[in-house]
Amino acid sequence: MRTTTSLVAAIAAVFASATPAHAIVGGTEAPATPWAVALTDANGQLFCGGALIAPDRVVTAAHCVTERSAVGGRGRAPESIRVVAGRSDLRVKGTSAKVASVWRHPAFRDVTGGDDVAVLTLSEPLPQAPVPLVDADDTASYAEGTEATVLGWGRTAEGAAPSPTLRQVSVPIEADSDCANEVQGFRADGMVCAGYPQGGKDACEGDSGGPMVVRGKLVGVVSYGKGCARPGEPGVYTRLAAYRSRL
Ligand code: ARG
């Protein structure tokens, strides 16, 4: 019994030391951020992130609520989505909110085409304070070099496991002209890129739908990227100011 316990402890220690010190990719443990939500299936399995913008409304990515297998991309059923708010560690048991309805941007086809935004209306309001949305006419938040914070429970490296706790990373907004050279199909009217030319810091799989914040306002949604944190491959985010009137 004793041997078993110490063996378990030893194995746990090996795993603990193997856990990357940096995560999202290149990030750190996030402070308490109650409006940052995890989207899980009915079994509690994480599939995306989101942000609470009103007590009963969550902004996420359209691709997060699209059934991948279906040709044309059918919407994910609201009953199959749970919203976890006010909790950093997803291993800790707690309550989650149910979704009454899903709005997906009607023009969304796939991430590379843009319009990757959706709004979930919850069955009941949540007690957590929502995050303010960017103004429709805010251009300063998308200016080159602006530091943006991205949050999520996604992978901490390409091929690594998602993080059980909420992580965050700070990345600079890229000039639209630079992004247009790097990302095929880039549309400045609905997308914005962020990241370092040398890579190293980025969102990754599982962070999709999650928040990008500038000066306390929600300015973007994690949409896609080629791999994670690769040099010359910025993260692509939905430019929320462009969709402000629909949210
Ligand atoms: N599409 C991914 C997801 O579903 C997130 C992509 C973000 N990738 C990146 N390199 N910024 O979770």
Side-chain angles (χ1 to χ4, degrees):
M1 188 58 181
R2 241 246 208 105
T3 5
T4 320
T5 316
S6 53
L7 182 61
V8 168
I11 292 170
V14 168
F15 274 97
S17 63
T19 304
H22 304 291
I24 242 195
V25 178
T28 54
E29 190 85 12
T33 312
W35 51 261
V37 305
L39 305 187
T40 76
D41 63 18
N43 299 317
Q45 187 69 46
L46 173 86
F47 63 87
C48 269
L52 200 64
I53 56 158
D56 65 344
R57 284 154 76 82
V58 167
V59 167
T60 186
H63 82 261
C64 288
V65 290
T66 302
E67 298 283 5
R68 250 175 285 171
S69 50
V71 177
R74 205 178 311 121
R76 186 188 267 266
E79 313 81 71
S80 68
I81 307 170
R82 296 289 180 279
V83 174
V84 176
R87 206 181 334 150
S88 164
D89 191 333
L90 299 178
R91 295 167 297 192
V92 175
K93 293 261 173 281
T95 55
S96 61
K98 290 191 174 165
V99 175
S101 62
V102 175
W103 173 84
R104 271 195 309 164
H105 194 290
F108 174 78
R109 292 293 171 270
D110 68 281
V111 291
T112 59
D115 302 318
D116 194 6
V117 60
V119 178
L120 315 179
T121 300
L122 307 180
S123 307
E124 300 200 1
L126 285 169
Q128 283 80 19
V131 63
L133 266 167
V134 65
D135 295 319
D137 61 356
D138 184 343
T139 49
S141 291
Y142 302 98
E144 181 179 9
T146 302
E147 283 295 323
T149 302
V150 182
L151 297 116
W153 287 267
R155 297 187 194 281
T156 56
E158 273 181 52
S163 172
T165 52
L166 183 64
R167 313 278 306 183
Q168 69 177 33
V169 71
S170 179
V171 277
I173 301 278
E174 271 196 2
D176 292 336
S177 53
D178 289 338
C179 197
N181 289 328
E182 291 163 332
V183 176
Q184 219 186 335
F186 176 75
R187 272 175 54 194
D189 66 336
M191 304 172 177
V192 61
C193 294
Y196 291 95
Q198 72 273 23
K201 294 183 183 226
D202 195 7
C204 200
E205 262 57 49
D207 292 321
S208 274
M212 169 192 255
V213 175
V214 170
R215 291 183 281 271
K217 291 196 173 176
L218 186 68
V219 304
V221 171
V222 176
S223 180
Y224 74 108
K226 190 184 252 180
C228 304
R230 296 183 187 180
E233 299 285 356
V236 184
Y237 299 81
T238 309
R239 186 186 296 251
L240 284 182
Y243 300 95
R244 189 64 179 81
S245 61
R246 321 200 57 165
L247 303 178

